[in-house]
Amino acid sequence: GAGVSQSPSNKVTEKGKDVELRCDPISGHTALYWYRQSLGQGLEFLIYFQGNSAPDKSGLPSDRFSAERTGGSVSTLTIQRTQQEDSAVYLCASSLARQTDTQYFGPGTRLTVL
Amino acid sequence: DAKTTQPPSMDCAEGRAANLPCNHSTISGNEYVYWYRQIHSQGPQYIIHGLKNNETNEMASLIITEDRKSSTLILPHATLRDTAVYYCILLANTGNQFYFGTGTSLTVIP
């Protein structure tokens, strides 16, 4: 069946612009996660959704970052006034229900801020 | 904060068993040990997980010490396609931050 999909696969933007990254989780998965991975680094947790609510936003690095999820499905991660240090691969994962369920990852969106 | 400690890199000869260690001395009773791997330019892939008992599936075996303070992922017959970064992480049912760390970069050598 279809896995987690993310769009766009690549995004190049200018410093100061806003960007929106999209994640389509596996159908029926209620938990959704956003991570980012800077070059040569491990995965950094950003935010976790259970349904449409986000019980854990502790990983968002600044108030320029926000995320929402509607209809318990698609999620968008928005970065306002992008900075060069925001350049990274942004990964989305979904799991069936609980945080201990296996997470299935999408291919990621590579964001480059010039 | 890192809750797991892994060696930064390891080599393994093709066809031999790869044993990847992970220390998690502050693990809580409700935390599972998960292993994922990430092949270059791809999203992480689930391998195996366990709570207390040793686990085995078609990809690997997971050995967890009795005190649960460390674990070892075993790839029984490593192939070149197993070259990847392997992450050991702890996940619990209660809300906590998921920390993947920098993992172990495994290189399988022909």
PDB file of all heavy atoms in Angstrom, chain B residues 39-54:
ATOM      1  N   ILE B  39      19.612   4.558   5.249  1.00  0.00           N
ATOM      2  CA  ILE B  39      20.529   4.427   4.121  1.00  0.00           C
ATOM      3  C   ILE B  39      20.614   5.790   3.461  1.00  0.00           C
ATOM      4  O   ILE B  39      19.633   6.528   3.417  1.00  0.00           O
ATOM      5  CB  ILE B  39      20.027   3.330   3.161  1.00  0.00           C
ATOM      6  CG1 ILE B  39      20.059   1.983   3.891  1.00  0.00           C
ATOM      7  CG2 ILE B  39      20.849   3.284   1.886  1.00  0.00           C
ATOM      8  CD1 ILE B  39      19.376   0.855   3.160  1.00  0.00           C
ATOM      9  N   HIS B  40      21.760   6.113   2.936  1.00  0.00           N
ATOM     10  CA  HIS B  40      22.041   7.450   2.416  1.00  0.00           C
ATOM     11  C   HIS B  40      20.897   8.001   1.574  1.00  0.00           C
ATOM     12  O   HIS B  40      20.414   7.350   0.663  1.00  0.00           O
ATOM     13  CB  HIS B  40      23.326   7.409   1.589  1.00  0.00           C
ATOM     14  CG  HIS B  40      23.740   8.745   1.064  1.00  0.00           C
ATOM     15  ND1 HIS B  40      24.056   9.799   1.894  1.00  0.00           N
ATOM     16  CD2 HIS B  40      23.860   9.211  -0.196  1.00  0.00           C
ATOM     17  CE1 HIS B  40      24.374  10.834   1.165  1.00  0.00           C
ATOM     18  NE2 HIS B  40      24.260  10.517  -0.094  1.00  0.00           N
ATOM     19  N   SER B  41      20.472   9.213   1.948  1.00  0.00           N
ATOM     20  CA  SER B  41      19.463   9.975   1.197  1.00  0.00           C
ATOM     21  C   SER B  41      18.061   9.376   1.265  1.00  0.00           C
ATOM     22  O   SER B  41      17.197   9.771   0.500  1.00  0.00           O
ATOM     23  CB  SER B  41      19.862  10.120  -0.277  1.00  0.00           C
ATOM     24  OG  SER B  41      21.060  10.843  -0.386  1.00  0.00           O
ATOM     25  N   GLN B  42      17.841   8.428   2.160  1.00  0.00           N
ATOM     26  CA  GLN B  42      16.493   7.880   2.324  1.00  0.00           C
ATOM     27  C   GLN B  42      15.975   8.177   3.724  1.00  0.00           C
ATOM     28  O   GLN B  42      16.741   8.521   4.627  1.00  0.00           O
ATOM     29  CB  GLN B  42      16.496   6.366   2.097  1.00  0.00           C
ATOM     30  CG  GLN B  42      16.926   5.949   0.701  1.00  0.00           C
ATOM     31  CD  GLN B  42      16.883   4.444   0.532  1.00  0.00           C
ATOM     32  OE1 GLN B  42      16.189   3.742   1.255  1.00  0.00           O
ATOM     33  NE2 GLN B  42      17.643   3.936  -0.433  1.00  0.00           N
ATOM     34  N   GLY B  43      14.665   8.039   3.914  1.00  0.00           N
ATOM     35  CA  GLY B  43      14.099   8.171   5.245  1.00  0.00           C
ATOM     36  C   GLY B  43      14.459   6.970   6.094  1.00  0.00           C
ATOM     37  O   GLY B  43      14.745   5.892   5.583  1.00  0.00           O
ATOM     38  N   PRO B  44      14.482   7.118   7.420  1.00  0.00           N
ATOM     39  CA  PRO B  44      14.802   5.989   8.298  1.00  0.00           C
ATOM     40  C   PRO B  44      13.842   4.825   8.107  1.00  0.00           C
ATOM     41  O   PRO B  44      12.676   5.017   7.767  1.00  0.00           O
ATOM     42  CB  PRO B  44      14.682   6.586   9.701  1.00  0.00           C
ATOM     43  CG  PRO B  44      14.911   8.047   9.509  1.00  0.00           C
ATOM     44  CD  PRO B  44      14.314   8.356   8.169  1.00  0.00           C
ATOM     45  N   GLN B  45      14.345   3.639   8.351  1.00  0.00           N
ATOM     46  CA  GLN B  45      13.583   2.405   8.180  1.00  0.00           C
ATOM     47  C   GLN B  45      13.576   1.643   9.495  1.00  0.00           C
ATOM     48  O   GLN B  45      14.617   1.453  10.121  1.00  0.00           O
ATOM     49  CB  GLN B  45      14.234   1.561   7.079  1.00  0.00           C
ATOM     50  CG  GLN B  45      13.625   0.197   6.874  1.00  0.00           C
ATOM     51  CD  GLN B  45      14.492  -0.691   5.994  1.00  0.00           C
ATOM     52  OE1 GLN B  45      15.698  -0.511   5.902  1.00  0.00           O
ATOM     53  NE2 GLN B  45      13.875  -1.658   5.343  1.00  0.00           N
ATOM     54  N   TYR B  46      12.397   1.210   9.903  1.00  0.00           N
ATOM     55  CA  TYR B  46      12.271   0.427  11.130  1.00  0.00           C
ATOM     56  C   TYR B  46      12.972  -0.914  10.985  1.00  0.00           C
ATOM     57  O   TYR B  46      12.902  -1.564   9.932  1.00  0.00           O
ATOM     58  CB  TYR B  46      10.789   0.202  11.441  1.00  0.00           C
ATOM     59  CG  TYR B  46      10.513  -0.851  12.487  1.00  0.00           C
ATOM     60  CD1 TYR B  46      10.611  -0.551  13.831  1.00  0.00           C
ATOM     61  CD2 TYR B  46      10.143  -2.137  12.113  1.00  0.00           C
ATOM     62  CE1 TYR B  46      10.343  -1.515  14.791  1.00  0.00           C
ATOM     63  CE2 TYR B  46       9.877  -3.102  13.059  1.00  0.00           C
ATOM     64  CZ  TYR B  46       9.984  -2.794  14.403  1.00  0.00           C
ATOM     65  OH  TYR B  46       9.717  -3.749  15.345  1.00  0.00           O
ATOM     66  N   ILE B  47      13.659  -1.358  12.055  1.00  0.00           N
ATOM     67  CA  ILE B  47      14.288  -2.674  12.034  1.00  0.00           C
ATOM     68  C   ILE B  47      13.620  -3.603  13.034  1.00  0.00           C
ATOM     69  O   ILE B  47      13.096  -4.658  12.666  1.00  0.00           O
ATOM     70  CB  ILE B  47      15.798  -2.588  12.358  1.00  0.00           C
ATOM     71  CG1 ILE B  47      16.524  -1.675  11.370  1.00  0.00           C
ATOM     72  CG2 ILE B  47      16.426  -3.984  12.340  1.00  0.00           C
ATOM     73  CD1 ILE B  47      17.978  -1.419  11.737  1.00  0.00           C
ATOM     74  N   ILE B  48      13.619  -3.214  14.298  1.00  0.00           N
ATOM     75  CA  ILE B  48      13.154  -4.120  15.352  1.00  0.00           C
ATOM     76  C   ILE B  48      12.975  -3.328  16.637  1.00  0.00           C
ATOM     77  O   ILE B  48      13.519  -2.221  16.773  1.00  0.00           O
ATOM     78  CB  ILE B  48      14.173  -5.270  15.540  1.00  0.00           C
ATOM     79  CG1 ILE B  48      13.573  -6.456  16.282  1.00  0.00           C
ATOM     80  CG2 ILE B  48      15.446  -4.761  16.242  1.00  0.00           C
ATOM     81  CD1 ILE B  48      14.448  -7.716  16.218  1.00  0.00           C
ATOM     82  N   HIS B  49      12.200  -3.841  17.570  1.00  0.00           N
ATOM     83  CA  HIS B  49      12.091  -3.214  18.876  1.00  0.00           C
ATOM     84  C   HIS B  49      11.806  -4.262  19.951  1.00  0.00           C
ATOM     85  O   HIS B  49      11.376  -5.384  19.630  1.00  0.00           O
ATOM     86  CB  HIS B  49      11.025  -2.115  18.904  1.00  0.00           C
ATOM     87  CG  HIS B  49       9.613  -2.613  18.935  1.00  0.00           C
ATOM     88  ND1 HIS B  49       8.974  -3.088  17.809  1.00  0.00           N
ATOM     89  CD2 HIS B  49       8.714  -2.690  19.955  1.00  0.00           C
ATOM     90  CE1 HIS B  49       7.734  -3.438  18.133  1.00  0.00           C
ATOM     91  NE2 HIS B  49       7.552  -3.214  19.423  1.00  0.00           N
ATOM     92  N   GLY B  50      12.061  -3.884  21.204  1.00  0.00           N
ATOM     93  CA  GLY B  50      11.798  -4.802  22.304  1.00  0.00           C
ATOM     94  C   GLY B  50      11.686  -4.056  23.617  1.00  0.00           C
ATOM     95  O   GLY B  50      12.106  -2.908  23.725  1.00  0.00           O
ATOM     96  N   LEU B  51      11.148  -4.729  24.613  1.00  0.00           N
ATOM     97  CA  LEU B  51      11.002  -4.138  25.940  1.00  0.00           C
ATOM     98  C   LEU B  51      11.953  -4.815  26.928  1.00  0.00           C
ATOM     99  O   LEU B  51      12.806  -4.179  27.526  1.00  0.00           O
ATOM    100  CB  LEU B  51       9.568  -4.256  26.430  1.00  0.00           C
ATOM    101  CG  LEU B  51       9.266  -3.609  27.776  1.00  0.00           C
ATOM    102  CD1 LEU B  51       9.467  -2.103  27.717  1.00  0.00           C
ATOM    103  CD2 LEU B  51       7.829  -3.931  28.221  1.00  0.00           C
ATOM    104  N   LYS B  52      11.795  -6.116  27.095  1.00  0.00           N
ATOM    105  CA  LYS B  52      12.651  -6.832  28.047  1.00  0.00           C
ATOM    106  C   LYS B  52      13.264  -8.080  27.424  1.00  0.00           C
ATOM    107  O   LYS B  52      14.400  -8.425  27.683  1.00  0.00           O
ATOM    108  CB  LYS B  52      11.819  -7.246  29.271  1.00  0.00           C
ATOM    109  CG  LYS B  52      11.468  -6.098  30.179  1.00  0.00           C
ATOM    110  CD  LYS B  52      10.841  -6.591  31.474  1.00  0.00           C
ATOM    111  CE  LYS B  52       9.414  -7.048  31.253  1.00  0.00           C
ATOM    112  NZ  LYS B  52       8.711  -7.332  32.523  1.00  0.00           N
ATOM    113  N   ASN B  53      12.453  -8.749  26.602  1.00  0.00           N
ATOM    114  CA  ASN B  53      12.910 -10.018  26.046  1.00  0.00           C
ATOM    115  C   ASN B  53      13.693  -9.798  24.763  1.00  0.00           C
ATOM    116  O   ASN B  53      13.543  -8.787  24.091  1.00  0.00           O
ATOM    117  CB  ASN B  53      11.706 -10.911  25.755  1.00  0.00           C
ATOM    118  CG  ASN B  53      10.912 -11.209  27.007  1.00  0.00           C
ATOM    119  OD1 ASN B  53      11.480 -11.422  28.072  1.00  0.00           O
ATOM    120  ND2 ASN B  53       9.593 -11.196  26.882  1.00  0.00           N
ATOM    121  N   ASN B  54      14.519 -10.766  24.420  1.00  0.00           N
ATOM    122  CA  ASN B  54      15.210 -10.727  23.139  1.00  0.00           C
ATOM    123  C   ASN B  54      14.190 -10.912  22.019  1.00  0.00           C
ATOM    124  O   ASN B  54      13.185 -11.613  22.189  1.00  0.00           O
ATOM    125  CB  ASN B  54      16.277 -11.808  23.089  1.00  0.00           C
ATOM    126  CG  ASN B  54      17.344 -11.612  24.151  1.00  0.00           C
ATOM    127  OD1 ASN B  54      17.545 -10.505  24.644  1.00  0.00           O
ATOM    128  ND2 ASN B  54      18.014 -12.693  24.510  1.00  0.00           N
TER     129      ASN B  54
END
